[in-house]
Amino acid sequence: MDVDDPSPRVDGGGVDPPRIRRLEESVVNRIAAGEVIQRPSSAVKELVENSLDAGASTVSVTVKDGGLKLIQVSDDGHGIRFEDLPILCERHTTSKLSAYEDLQTIKSMGFRGEALASMTYVGHVTVTTITEGQLHGYRVSYKDGVMENEPKPCAAVKGTQVMVENLFYNMVARRKTLQNSNDDYPKIVDFISRFAVHHINVSFSCRKHGASRADVHSASTSSRLDAIRNVYGASVVRDLVEIEVSDEDAGDAVFKMGGYISNANYVAKKITMILFINDRLVDCTALKRAIEFVYAATLPQASKPFIYMSINLPSEHVDVNIHPTKKEVSLLNQERIIEIIKNAIEEKLRSSNTTRIFQTQAINSSALMPANTQKEKGTEVKMSSGMKSQKTPVSQIVRTDPRNPSGRLHSYWHGQSSNLEMKCDLVSVRNVVRSRRNPKDAGDLSSRHELLTEIDSHCHPGLLEVVKNCTYVGLADDVFALIQHNTHLYLVNIVNVSKELMYQQALCRFGNFNAIQLSEPAPLLDLLLMALKDDELVCDENDEEKLEIAKVNSEILKDNAEMINEYFSIHVDQDGNLIRLPVVLDQYTPDMDRLPEFVLTMGNDVTWDDEKECFRTAAAAIGNFYALHPPILPNPSGSGIQLYKKNKDCMTGGEHVDRTDEDDIDQELLAEAETAWSQREWTIQHVLFPSMQLFLKPPKSMATDGTFVQVASLEKLYKIFERC
Ligand code: ADP
Ligand code: MG
C-alpha cells in the first residue's frame, strides 16, 4: 500500500486514518493571501489604507478589467525607505506595530503586515517609491513575498505607487468566479467614495485605465457636506440632517458619534451606510439593522436611509483584530452604543420632519404576508366575487359572536365585506395618510416626560439583557412563546409583553404617529353599543340604559376629540365617527374585532381631568387594544376543529341530509380562523420580537408576575442527559 496516499483505505473491516503532513510554506501563504485579498476591491482598500497611513493628501486609483488586469494606487505620502524594500512584502513585516500591546492603542489602519505580502502571492506587485530629500526613487517587483530583482533607481514624484497586475493569476477558480460575476469596479468606486466622504482633507480620484474622466474625484475641503455633495451629488445633501451624540452618562464621555443622516424626503431603494469607527471604514451589521429598523418604524417603508457616521471610542474599547481584513470590528458595550445611536436618530427624524405630508402609497403586501396567507389569495377572489361592496351597518360587520362569520369590522378597511380579502389589505392599508405635527407641542409636555422616565426607572436590567439578546424559539401555546438566552430557556407571555410594548410605544411616538385610515367612518355610537352588548355588567334587557351609556361615552370622546387626535392620532370627526387610528408599531394593525371594546375603554376608563393620568390611561387602552391577544376565533388546531362544526338544525332546515365529517365543518370560518392564527404567529416572530428587542424596556414586575418564566437551563439539562 502506498503510504503517501492520503485517502482512507477500507481494508477488510479496518480504516487507515489519512496521514497528516505539513503544508509547503508557499501553499500556506497562498491560502492566507486568498483570505486577506478576497477580491480586487479588497486589494484597493488595503492599498488606499496604506496611503492614508503614510499621511498622503492625494490618492489616485487606476483600475483595468475590474482590477484583475491592473490596480494602481499612487500617493504623495512619506514613501518607503530604501533599506526596507527587501522585506517590504514579506509576511508580517510592518512599520506600525512592534508589540502585541500596541494593538490596544493603534491608530493606523494597517498593523498586520500582511496586505502587500498577500498581494505578491496572488498577483504581480511592483512598487515605486521615493522618500523626502532623495534625488531619485526606486522601483522593484515582488513575487511570493520576495524581491524579484534589486531595486532600480528611477525618476519618481513624492510618495509611493503600488501596481498589482494579473490578480489571482494562480487561483483559477477565484479568477473564473470573478470574471463571471459582475466586475468589481463599482465596488472599488464605492470604497473610494466612502473614503472621500470621511477623509475630507485628502483628495481622491478613481478611474478606469485609459479613461479621461475619473468616476470619483474629490478635492480636499473643510466641509463634510461639500465632500458628500462632491461624491454623492447635491440631491443627497439636500435631504441630510446633521446628527451628533455622545455618552452623557459616562463621566468623561467615552463615546462620540457625529455624522449626517437622511430625512423623510430622501428616497432610495437601498441603504447607504458609511460607517467609520475610530477612522476605520468598517461594517457593523447590528448597528445597520437597528438603524434600518428605526427608519422603517418612523418613516414610510419605501425609502432606505443614507447614513454617514463616524464613531470615536477609546481604542482599547475596540477590538480591531477580529477580521483578517479588519472589515468588522467588535466594540465594548456595543448594545448600549447602538441603543444610544438609535434613540438619537429616532429623535432627529421626528423633529426634522415636522411639515412633511406623506403620499399615499400601497406597499407590496405579499412581501409582508406569511406564506400560508398568500396561498389563500387564490380562494379569496372567488369567495369575494359575489359579494356586495356597499356600506353595511356597523352592527353587521363587527363580530360579537366568535362563531358568527358575518359581522366583523374588518370591512371598514376597504369597504368590502370580503373578510379574507381584507387580510391582505389590512397590511397594505397602513400607509394611507401620514401627517406629522410639530413634535415640540407634544414633546415638551412634562407629564408625558414623567411617564417615559417612569418606564426607564422601572426597567429591569436583567430582563432587558434577556430581551435584547434572546433568540426566538417558537410558540409554546396560545399565549406563551419560548425564547432562549445564553443557556437558559424562558416562557414569555405574549399578551403581557406586547401590551407593555404598545403602551411604551404609544408614549414614545406620542404626537408623531403615522395613521391607519379606516376606509369608512365608523360611528362611535354603534361601536359602543356593540361593546355594551357583550358587556355582562350591563343588564341585557335594559337596552335604554345601554343606549344612554353609549351616548355619554360617545360625547366624552367627541369632547376630547382634538386632544386624542393630536396626541394619539385617534381621529373622531364632528359627527362622532371614528376615522383614523395610530400606527403604534410599523407593519402592524390591531385586531379589529377588538375595536368596540377599545372605544368603550377610551370612553369609560380614561381619566380626562388629570393630564398625566389621562396620558397613562389612554396609552394603556391603546396598549390593550394593540396587544397580540389570541384571535377571537378559537384556535382550530387539534381538537379545536370541533368548534367549527356547523349547527345541523339550522343548516339543514330540518331535512335529513347525509353529510360526511368534512361537510360538518364550516369551511369558511375555519379558513378564516386558520389565517388569523397563522398570521398572528408570523407577526409575533417577525414584527413583535424584533421590535421588542429594539424598544421594550421590561418593567421589574415582569420578573415576578409570570410574564417571563425560566423553564430550563441547558447546563442542567445536559447534566441530566449525561446521567441517563
Ligand atoms: P500594514 O499596513 O499592516 O503594516 P502592509 O503589508 O499593508 O502592512 O504594508 C507593510 C508596510 O509597508 C507598512 O507597514 C508600511 O510601512 C509600508 N507601506 C505600505 N504601503 C505604503 C505606502 N503607500 N507608503 C508608505 N509606506 C507604505
Ligand atoms: Mg496595510
Side-chain angles (χ1 to χ4, degrees), residues 143-202:
K143 188 169 185 281
D144 296 343
V146 293
M147 294 199 297
E148 284 190 301
N149 54 294
E150 281 303 309
K152 288 197 185 80
C154 64
V157 286
K158 183 182 184 236
T160 307
Q161 182 195 72
V162 181
M163 198 161 78
V164 184
E165 290 167 292
N166 301 320
L167 198 59
F168 305 127
Y169 72 97
N170 51 0
M171 297 174 85
V172 183
R174 178 85 56 102
R175 214 180 151 85
K176 273 217 174 103
T177 24
L178 285 167
Q179 267 166 348
N180 292 340
S181 71
N182 279 336
D183 149 308
D184 232 24
Y185 187 66
K187 276 209 174 65
I188 294 172
V189 169
D190 187 52
F191 269 131
I192 307 298
S193 307
R194 285 159 191 258
F195 279 120
V197 166
H198 184 71
H199 296 275
I200 55 177
N201 43 15
V202 178

Side-chain angles (χ1 to χ4, degrees), residues 46-47 49-54 73 75 77-80 84 87-90 93-97 108-119 129 159-162 326:
E46 292 290 342
L47 293 173
E49 287 183 341
N50 278 349
S51 298
L52 293 168
D53 281 346
V73 177
D75 65 56
H78 56 51
I80 301 162
D84 288 342
I87 60 159
L88 174 70
C89 294
E90 274 180 29
T93 55
T94 175
S95 57
K96 300 165 193 173
L97 182 80
S108 60
M109 277 169 267
F111 56 82
R112 299 168 72 112
E114 276 188 311
L116 284 181
S118 300
M119 287 174 220
T129 187
T160 307
Q161 182 195 72
V162 181
K326 300 158 247 122

Side-chain angles (χ1 to χ4, degrees), residues 201-469:
N201 43 15
V202 178
S203 46
F204 290 89
S205 77
C206 176
R207 73 182 74 224
K208 279 189 176 163
H209 182 75
S212 55
R213 236 189 82 245
D215 296 289
V216 184
H217 193 100
S218 76
S220 161
T221 162
S222 55
S223 144
R224 180 87 54 205
L225 281 179
D226 277 352
I228 301 177
R229 186 179 298 112
N230 217 330
V231 180
Y232 290 94
S235 60
V236 172
V237 171
R238 197 182 47 223
D239 297 331
L240 295 183
V241 285
E242 192 169 11
I243 187 162
E244 245 179 30
V245 64
S246 62
D247 196 349
E248 286 153 8
D249 289 355
D252 50 343
V254 290
F255 149 69
K256 269 208 177 102
M257 181 275 273
Y260 286 88
I261 61 170
S262 55
N263 62 21
N265 300 316
Y266 178 79
V267 180
K269 289 210 178 77
K270 262 176 67 189
I271 179 171
T272 305
M273 169 114 184
I274 306 172
L275 175 65
F276 282 80
I277 297 182
N278 287 1
D279 296 318
R280 282 165 203 282
L281 176 58
V282 289
D283 283 340
C284 180
T285 317
L287 177 62
K288 187 170 164 184
R289 285 224 188 97
I291 292 177
E292 276 189 302
F293 202 95
V294 172
Y295 269 83
T298 324
L299 299 180
Q301 275 284 298
S303 185
K304 298 277 185 188
F306 178 99
I307 310 281
Y308 160 72
M309 199 172 271
S310 170
I311 299 177
N312 278 295
L313 298 151
S315 35
E316 60 272 21
H317 286 198
V318 187
D319 187 355
V320 288
N321 195 24
I322 61 162
H323 194 276
T325 63
K326 300 158 247 122
K327 188 168 165 270
E328 285 263 356
V329 290
S330 115
L331 311 178
L332 200 70
N333 301 327
Q334 178 158 311
E335 286 305 319
R336 190 178 142 65
I337 291 172
I338 291 180
E339 180 77 17
I340 295 174
I341 294 179
K342 210 188 68 197
N343 292 341
I345 293 184
E346 205 175 344
E347 187 104 322
K348 198 54 152 194
L349 289 179
R350 294 199 190 295
S351 62
S352 68
N353 295 298
T354 53
T355 52
R356 184 171 163 86
I357 307 282
F358 293 109
Q359 298 301 310
T360 300
Q361 47 179 264
I363 56 167
N364 179 2
S365 58
S366 62
L368 293 168
M369 298 299 284
N372 48 1
T373 316
Q374 285 180 30
K375 263 191 273 159
E376 265 147 31
K377 270 190 159 174
T379 47
E380 130 208 332
V381 176
K382 270 186 260 144
M383 295 176 79
S384 67
S385 57
M387 296 193 179
K388 58 183 190 310
S389 66
Q390 316 120 299
K391 191 172 172 179
T392 324
V394 73
S395 54
Q396 282 175 32
I397 47 183
V398 175
R399 188 200 321 279
T400 49
D401 170 3
R403 298 203 45 203
N404 173 9
S406 74
R408 56 218 66 168
L409 198 74
H410 300 142
S411 40
Y412 271 112
W413 291 118
H414 267 215
Q416 286 151 344
S417 350
S418 162
N419 200 30
L420 285 171
E421 194 151 40
M422 177 282 305
K423 287 189 173 77
C424 285
D425 292 336
L426 214 147
V427 184
S428 65
V429 79
R430 43 171 287 280
N431 283 308
V432 180
V433 172
R434 293 156 182 259
S435 60
R436 278 157 196 274
R437 307 187 156 267
N438 188 341
K440 283 253 155 33
D441 307 346
D444 291 345
L445 289 173
S446 62
S447 32
R448 176 229 180 191
H449 196 74
E450 280 168 35
L451 291 170
L452 288 173
T453 316
E454 270 173 31
I455 293 176
D456 282 336
S457 63
H458 291 162
C459 178
H460 186 296
L463 283 183
L464 184 66
E465 157 67 22
V466 170
V467 168
K468 289 246 173 284
N469 298 308

